[in-house]
Each structure stands twice: as C-alpha cells, then as structure tokens.
Amino acid sequence: MTHGAFDLRGKRVYVAGHRGMVGSALVRQLAHEDCEIITTSRAQLDLRDQSGVQGFFCDRKPQVVIMAAAQVGGIYANDSQPADFIYDNVVMQTNVIGAAFKHGVEKLTFLGSSCIYPRLAPQPMREEALLTGPLEPTNEWYAIAKIAGVKMCQAFRRQHGVDFISAMPTNLYGPFDNFDLASSHVLPALMAKAHQAKIAGADQLSVWGSGAPMREFMHVEDCAKAILFLTRNYSGEMHINVGTGEEVSIKCLAETIAEAVELKAKLAFDSSKPDGTPRKLMDSSRLLGMGWRPDVTLADGVASTYQWYLKNVSA
Ligand code: GFB
C-alpha cells in the first residue's frame, strides 16, 4: 500500500453520477475545494454510449474522475433486474475507465460496494476476502460488475502505471437517497413506510424478511469525505473498504427508524421477501489506519435524513 499525496487544488474534477446520493454529496464536499467541478446530466451524456463518453473527455479534459455513476438499488431491484444491473454497470464503468486512460486522467477513484464479498465471508470482511467464495445470489449481478471495475482499475494500474484506485463503501443512506419502495435500499424504504404508517395512523410497520440480517450503514456525507480522503492520500492496487465498523440487525434498524419518525407500531415481518446476505460488516482498518474517521452516528444520521425526507420527499 502506498500513500500518494494528490492535490485537488486547481484540478478539473469530473464527478460521474453527480445527481445521485453519493455524487451529490461529493459535489457538496468539493465545493469547499479550490477545484473546477465538472458534471454532465444523463440527458446530455449517456455513459453507456462509448463515443459520447470519449467525446466528453476530449472536450472537458478532466484531470480527476470519481466514478459515482451506477445502476443501483436494493435487494428487490437487484434480484428482479439482473440484466440491467450487470449490463449498465459494466458498460458505464468500462467506458469511463477506458476514456480516463485514453485522455490521460491523473487520478480516478472507482466506487464499488460491500456486496462484492462472498455471501459467507468471515466477518468483519477484509479486502483480501474478495473472490474467495460464492456471492450472494440476490445481488451477484451487481457484485460481478463492481468486481470487474475493481479489477479493471488494478489492470490499468499494473499495465500502464496510471493512478486508478477503488473504494468499497458499505450500505449508504442520507439526502438524495432513493425512497421508492420497489427499488430502494432498506433504510430509506423503512423510513418512507414508517412515515406513511404514521400519517395513516397504522399500527404496523412492514419489514421484509426475518429482520435478523445484520447491516453496516454509513451516512453519505461521511462516505463522500472518505472518498475524497482516499483520492488525495491513497495510491495503490488494493481496493479499500469504507465502513463504520458497526452493524445493526434489520429489526433494530426498523426500531431506530420508527423512533425517529415517532411511529408507535408493531413490526410485521414479511417472510415472502428475501433476507439476502446474513451479514456484510467490513474491516475498514486500512482506511482507519490512514487516519480517517467517520463522524455521523446512525441515530443522528437517521434523524437528519428524516428531516431531509420531510422537507424534500414526503407528500
Ligand atoms: O439495502 P437492502 O435492500 O440490500 O437491504 P442489501 C436488504 C435487507 O433489508 C434484507 C431487509 O434483509 C431485506 O429483507 N428489508 C426489510 C428491506 N425491509 C425492507 C424494505 O422495505 N426494503 C428493502 N430494500 N429491504 C444491497 C445490494 O444489498 O446492498 C446492492 O443489493 C448494494 O447491490 C447495497 O450492494 C449496498 O444490503 O441486502
């Protein structure tokens, strides 16, 4: 592992996926930097269009790229749209990584996910656990796409000496998350359902699965800071875990969210829905060893995200 100080000041920084939850948090953080933030909308540029991506890089000449654009979703979306998750993500990341190499980008940070690790990897999961066992079936398509992205960055680094790195965030939540119940991740889904139950005066909160699986959650502002920390301070082949080191059961999460929403309701567990991976707590000691720490606790993050939800999403 090497620590390479990379100065963002004065650089043209392209945030791919700037409208998404991670991308928008990165833009908020970069606004404090003395750099030029480059963004483009999906209407202006479909990252699945290779010639369009090449033309964009030729015109805008980014010096830094943070690949936060992806087809993402919760367990149900992953399980029900496998082709979208593997095809769109492989094509988008391949186009961006290839164009970054062709146009001499100085630093690229690729974003993966904690779902790249084997379903039953020893917990907490170290970076070395990658490819040591079978993946979780509900999201293997997305996982394989992200693993390909990690490997592609490693391959370009090894063959061409470019400073392309990969970060593996844990389950994220926060402002600009997706709250659509069919495609969202668990935290925003439970928050939307709890709010709707409260408004309706319902006395039940529907929770998919058994409530037993454990999940690690990081607020997206912390994740954006960690991604920029790694972009500035890390240069190496190994992908780096970005987690909080704390996990909660889905049941406990539902109780935390019900309390934040001030909903008095019984949890109704829907066993017709999958549990997915039993646990996916990451060992983030490489990142912590570099001196970075998360700031936002789950209780504070859930409370602030609910306030954001009330102002920006709730009907
Ligand atoms: O965030 P999530 O959908 O995906 O969490 P994963 C799924 C867990 O939460 C399962 C339970 O145990 C679900 O049974 N759950 C309970 C719910 N209620 C709900 C609900 O209303 N909606 C949802 N979505 N889940 C994702 C991967 O895995 O992790 C993604 O599919 C990505 O690709 C993401 O990697 C970080 O945590 O299981």
Side-chain angles (χ1 to χ4, degrees), residues 114-120 129-145 147 277:
S114 58
C115 75
I116 65 169
Y117 293 111
R119 171 181 163 81
L120 301 175
L130 184 60
L131 295 175
T132 58
L135 297 168
E136 159 58 36
T138 55
N139 57 41
E140 65 178 325
W141 327 97
Y142 180 71
I144 285 171
I147 291 168
T277 304

Side-chain angles (χ1 to χ4, degrees), residues 75 78 113 115 139 142 171 184 186 193 208 215 274-275 280:
I75 190 165
N78 271 266
S113 163
C115 75
N139 57 41
Y142 180 71
N171 287 46
S184 64
V186 57
K193 288 194 280 190
W208 292 357
R215 289 293 182 271
D275 269 346
K280 50 184 196 174

Side-chain angles (χ1 to χ4, degrees), residues 213-231:
M214 304 294 285
R215 289 293 182 271
E216 178 184 23
F217 293 98
M218 177 179 277
H219 192 278
V220 72
E221 295 304 324
D222 272 339
C223 183
K225 290 174 184 172
I227 291 165
L228 294 179
F229 176 89
L230 288 171
T231 302

Side-chain angles (χ1 to χ4, degrees), residues 194 198 205 252-264 299 302 306:
K198 178 182 174 184
L205 172 59
C252 174
L253 175 71
E255 289 162 350
T256 302
I257 289 172
E259 190 179 339
V261 172
E262 293 179 349
L263 169 72
K264 300 258 179 295
V302 163
Y306 184 51

